[in-house]
Amino acid sequence: MAFLSIKNVAIRGISACVPAYVEENLEIIDVPSMDIDKLIKTTGVERRHVATQGICTSDMCFAAAEKLIEELDWNKDEIEGLIMVTQSPDYLVPATSPSLQHRLGLSQNCFTIDISLGCSGYIYGLSTLASYMQSGMIKKALLCVGDVSSISCSKQDKSTYPLFGDAGTVTALEYCELDEGMKFHLSSDGSGYKAIIIPDGGHRRRFSESSLSEHVIDKGIIRNNSELWLDGMDVFSFGISKAPETVNKLLTKFEIVKDSVDHFFFHQANLMMNERIRKKLQLPENKVPYSLKDFGNTSSASIPLTMVTKTADELRNGQNNIIACGFGVGLSWATMHCNTTNLVIPDLIYYG
């Protein structure tokens, strides 16, 4: 099991951006109304912000980064690192992070990396960027995290289309000597890679004419091999077992008192799963915020988006003891603990 303790790095601010266009789940015409009512109740998702034609994850991260840099009053020449965590890049080649560095007007001395992870990506991104920064050679850096998941979902698939929304977020990290930093538990199990997958379009299985052939999986679940396949039962079992497990391992390893934690931020998978996780961990409702109702499952962006939309006032003022836990596609899961102080959090940005 992978534990990390990274000192001297602190979160300074978080910003988030979503598409301006909103799709109400009650208005989806390809899913029967009875099914939609049940889906809303079990997933907790009433509406989603959906990217319209031409909007990429990098566009939303660009808007979020510009606003956050402005409100932090950072000099762009001092930003020496940028990591992009996404599974919806601008292109297969090249990576998205260098082009985002250029668009933002950051120095050519800024290192850039893409990380292809989904639901656990925010935690893995934090651990990667903080690891680069802990020596003090890099003083300021940006973690850009998000996805345009809606474009990969079949409108005839009630298990995915009403669930996923789109978002881009940016988290600013700064070297801060003597800061207690962040603690992590990181895990993965590639044997479950088929549980959440787009079968065709990569190098293992190239896109072809047959990729567009529709498969009737069940009533209300029709998809092709260029779209997202989700094995709901496998993912549910995975989530309700591994998420509580990783949180408990982190608490035990670093002797963190659970009651001392102010907020537990979980990947926003769906309400039924997240509530099972909360109850297994015996956490009070007021410490576990949800953004599912208005944004759905926004992949790697769901944790910082929840911070911005549900706890901004608390995080902007004073100290907060937080735990964040991501789990999903890969299969991959991870938990992070840190303390924050007076974070800079701009209001939510609407793109397009």
Side-chain angles (χ1 to χ4, degrees), residues 14 119 151 253 261 305 316:
I14 305 171
C119 318
I151 196 172
K253 175 69 174 180
V261 178
L305 179 63
R316 287 171 181 145

Side-chain angles (χ1 to χ4, degrees), residues 249-258:
K249 284 183 176 179
L250 187 82
L251 293 172
T252 301
K253 175 69 174 180
F254 296 107
E255 299 180 345
I256 301 165
V257 178
K258 185 165 66 173

Side-chain angles (χ1 to χ4, degrees), residues 2-19:
F3 289 102
L4 296 175
S5 179
I6 302 172
K7 299 183 183 299
N8 305 324
V9 181
I11 297 174
R12 291 303 188 211
I14 305 171
S15 59
C17 177
V18 296

